[in-house]
Amino acid sequence: MKSVLLIGLGRFGRHVAMKLNEMGHQVMAIDNREERVDAVLHYVTNAQIGDSTSEDFLSSLGVGNYDVCIVAIGDDFQSSLETASLLKEMGAKLVVARASRDVQAKFLLRNGADEVVYPEKQLASWTAIRYTADHILDYVELDDDYSIFELDIPKEWCGKTIGTLNIRQKFGINILGIRENGILNMNITPETNLSKENSILVLGRQKAIQKYFHI
């Protein structure tokens, strides 16, 4: 369990709060609008109405005591930038800030943010890839080169073992797990047999996976 300071409770921030609650973390939620704070009260440990660009207000929260500070402000970049800067000045251990464009990310990283997330950009990429191929079930981009895909098992693989296919040596693609009846099994071996009822989790370079699986 970690302690999280979540600043900004718009749609993105609210969903972050709900997920953190589901994971069992302690969350202090902050926003300058009362209705937004009220909307997350059931999902957080504590919540306050306040201005995160106020040094006095942030100081009263004990910023350095949190494992991570998430700046989820999406409608006021100036406030997001000032908040990230103040958090780092006050000794925040890890500052994660939301950005909408590359130029925002650059400013945030130069002024206090340790990490930057792009909710719209990341979801747009996932949507474009997920829904333009019939056999992709899920997709996670790790960096510009590597990704994890969950895919239907190709017909030519059915009835064969992972060791027989040997796609790691041939194509640089790693099979991480198999999902059967909704249950993901990560304990696979070269002797694991594949069937059409399964889906697979694979890791590799995007270009290699896209080429091999005709994505």
Side-chain angles (χ1 to χ4, degrees), residues 30-92:
I30 303 297
D31 199 281
N32 59 4
R33 293 170 58 176
E34 183 177 0
E35 65 272 18
R36 288 183 173 181
V37 172
D38 290 342
V40 301
L41 288 177
H42 294 296
Y43 308 109
V44 299
T45 312
N46 293 292
Q48 288 192 35
I49 303 168
D51 179 5
S52 63
T53 65
S54 166
E55 187 170 352
D56 290 338
F57 176 69
L58 279 188
S59 180
S60 71
L61 300 175
V63 167
N65 296 322
Y66 294 94
D67 295 306
V68 57
C69 298
I70 301 175
V71 183
I73 300 171
D75 53 1
D76 186 343
F77 179 65
Q78 182 63 34
S79 292
S80 179
L81 189 63
E82 290 181 23
T83 299
S85 180
L86 283 173
L87 287 170
K88 186 54 67 174
E89 288 177 8
M90 293 180 182

Side-chain angles (χ1 to χ4, degrees), residues 20-177:
L20 289 171
N21 173 67
E22 182 182 316
M23 297 170 68
H25 297 302
Q26 292 186 330
V27 182
M28 166 62 84
I30 303 297
D31 199 281
N32 59 4
R33 293 170 58 176
E34 183 177 0
E35 65 272 18
R36 288 183 173 181
V37 172
D38 290 342
V40 301
L41 288 177
H42 294 296
Y43 308 109
V44 299
T45 312
N46 293 292
Q48 288 192 35
I49 303 168
D51 179 5
S52 63
T53 65
S54 166
E55 187 170 352
D56 290 338
F57 176 69
L58 279 188
S59 180
S60 71
L61 300 175
V63 167
N65 296 322
Y66 294 94
D67 295 306
V68 57
C69 298
I70 301 175
V71 183
I73 300 171
D75 53 1
D76 186 343
F77 179 65
Q78 182 63 34
S79 292
S80 179
L81 189 63
E82 290 181 23
T83 299
S85 180
L86 283 173
L87 287 170
K88 186 54 67 174
E89 288 177 8
M90 293 180 182
K93 298 172 185 176
L94 175 64
V95 178
V96 179
R98 173 185 180 176
S100 300
R101 302 189 300 275
D102 289 341
V103 65
Q104 292 183 352
K106 291 179 181 178
F107 278 110
L108 287 164
L109 291 170
R110 290 174 183 172
N111 292 275
D114 298 298
E115 301 284 347
V116 170
V117 294
Y118 294 83
E120 293 86 357
K121 181 179 179 181
Q122 290 163 342
L123 182 57
S125 178
W126 182 89
T127 302
I129 292 175
R130 167 65 178 86
Y131 292 104
T132 54
D134 295 335
H135 50 285
I136 294 180
L137 305 177
D138 206 349
Y139 157 77
V140 178
E141 184 177 289
L142 302 180
D143 60 21
D144 291 338
D145 292 323
Y146 288 89
S147 295
I148 296 174
F149 286 82
E150 183 174 353
L151 303 152
D152 289 327
I153 291 180
K155 292 180 180 179
E156 60 270 22
W157 287 18
C158 295
K160 296 182 180 179
T161 65
I162 290 176
T164 301
L165 294 170
N166 199 24
I167 66 167
R168 181 177 183 180
Q169 290 188 357
K170 291 179 180 177
F171 308 102
I173 298 172
N174 296 281
I175 299 178
L176 302 179

